[in-house]
Amino acid sequence: MRTLVHPSIDDVRLEAILHALSDPVRAEIFATIATGACIQNCSAFAAVGDRVIPKSSLSQHFKVLREAGLIRSERHGVEVRNSSRCGEVDGRFPGLIAAILDAHGKEQASVAKVAE
Amino acid sequence: MRTLVHPSIDDVRLEAILHALSDPVRAEIFATIATGACIQNCSAFAAVGDRVIPKSSLSQHFKVLREAGLIRSERHGVEVRNSSRCGEVDGRFPGLIAAILDAHGKEQASVAKVAE
DNA sequence: TCCCGTAGTTCAGGAAATCGGAACAATTGA
DNA sequence: TCAATTGTTCCGATTTCCTGAACTACGGGA
């Protein structure tokens, strides 16, 4: 279990961000971390929607988000706490994260409406 | 060779857009189509940067962009002309395309600077 | 100090997506 | 009708993704 590696903000690539957020599970995780007030550990996402996510997959998803520069992960004893790097990323790519989160929110809302 | 299929704007998914633009070749193609004045045919992208792209791959890339709802392709005789659907997409996801294109432009500029 | 429970990571395989050369299809002009 | 141009489809090779199983790391008793 090696140390959690985060790219410097200058090394963050647009391509990596778009790829990271093009997966619905990762998009949901990131939206929760980015918009939520409290810092989340990985196990908070053992289920996304009504789908169960194996923890090995979760670990990979968090790694992708982390290496894309979207989240920061810090070990606190036995757990890892995740927070978003929205501020930094917004400094590099102004408006990008906000537009994606906004679009994600809109889409989730319309999906919920259809499900009614 | 069947007819070119385009999703209705209501069926356009954020996930598909992010996936389509997470590939550097497709991002470059889309940026060119979206920002350029003239409508482009596929062969205009036989090379992206200094890399040669086989036409079978190009065909797939255009298909991905088309099915994500990002471009519109119309057959004109022997060629296919592509135009962007930025306006429609912006109506559904305001600011999204602009933010991504802006980020793409910033990144290309910094890459060019390093290459000097 | 030695276990045990919790939290995540790594590994390995099978499944799925992607790439690109070769063959094919559609259109135009001679 | 034939050839050139433009793009698509097919298919095998490569790459990436997913996930169960095994493993590592830390903290809390007893």
Side-chain angles (χ1 to χ4, degrees):
Chain A
M1 221 179 260
R2 39 197 86 130
T3 51
L4 300 166
V5 40
H6 300 81
S8 119
I9 192 63
D10 294 331
D11 292 335
V12 167
R13 318 287 340 272
L14 173 63
E15 177 184 336
I17 290 178
L18 298 184
H19 171 253
L21 297 179
S22 70
D23 178 277
V25 171
R26 285 194 295 264
E28 188 59 38
I29 291 173
F30 179 67
T32 303
I33 293 178
T35 62
C38 58
I39 291 174
Q40 307 271 349
N41 71 352
C42 298
S43 301
F45 301 94
V48 167
D50 50 1
R51 191 175 147 217
V52 173
I53 314 291
K55 59 181 183 169
S56 58
S57 302
L58 274 182
S59 181
Q60 293 300 325
H61 285 318
F62 275 91
K63 186 181 179 189
V64 171
L65 289 170
R66 189 165 57 239
E67 295 185 349
L70 288 166
I71 63 173
R72 186 175 295 284
S73 307
E74 290 169 294
R75 230 177 261 294
H76 282 259
V78 72
E79 70 178 11
V80 174
R81 298 193 194 145
N82 299 283
S83 53
S84 91
R85 295 178 71 184
C86 290
E88 289 173 273
V89 176
D90 196 62
R92 181 156 159 77
F93 299 127
L96 178 66
I97 298 301
I100 294 177
L101 286 177
D102 187 53
H104 178 80
K106 274 212 173 61
E107 195 157 76
Q108 291 303 100
S110 71
V111 168
K113 211 164 213 170
V114 169
E116 273 174 18
Chain B
M1 222 179 258
R2 37 198 85 132
T3 51
L4 300 165
V5 43
H6 299 83
S8 120
I9 192 64
D10 293 333
D11 292 335
V12 167
R13 317 289 336 275
L14 172 62
E15 179 185 332
I17 291 179
L18 298 184
H19 170 253
L21 296 179
S22 71
D23 179 278
V25 172
R26 286 195 295 264
E28 190 57 40
I29 291 174
F30 179 67
T32 303
I33 293 177
T35 62
C38 58
I39 291 176
Q40 308 272 346
N41 73 352
C42 297
S43 299
F45 301 94
V48 168
D50 50 2
R51 190 176 147 214
V52 173
I53 313 290
K55 57 183 185 170
S56 60
S57 301
L58 273 182
S59 181
Q60 292 301 324
H61 284 319
F62 275 91
K63 185 180 179 192
V64 170
L65 289 170
R66 188 164 58 239
E67 296 186 349
L70 288 166
I71 64 172
R72 186 174 297 285
S73 306
E74 290 169 294
R75 230 176 264 293
H76 284 258
V78 72
E79 69 177 9
V80 174
R81 296 192 195 147
N82 299 283
S83 53
S84 92
R85 295 179 70 185
C86 290
E88 290 174 90
V89 176
D90 197 62
R92 181 156 159 78
F93 299 127
L96 179 66
I97 299 301
I100 294 176
L101 286 177
D102 186 54
H104 179 80
K106 273 213 173 63
E107 196 157 74
Q108 291 304 100
S110 71
V111 168
K113 209 163 214 171
V114 169
E116 274 173 17

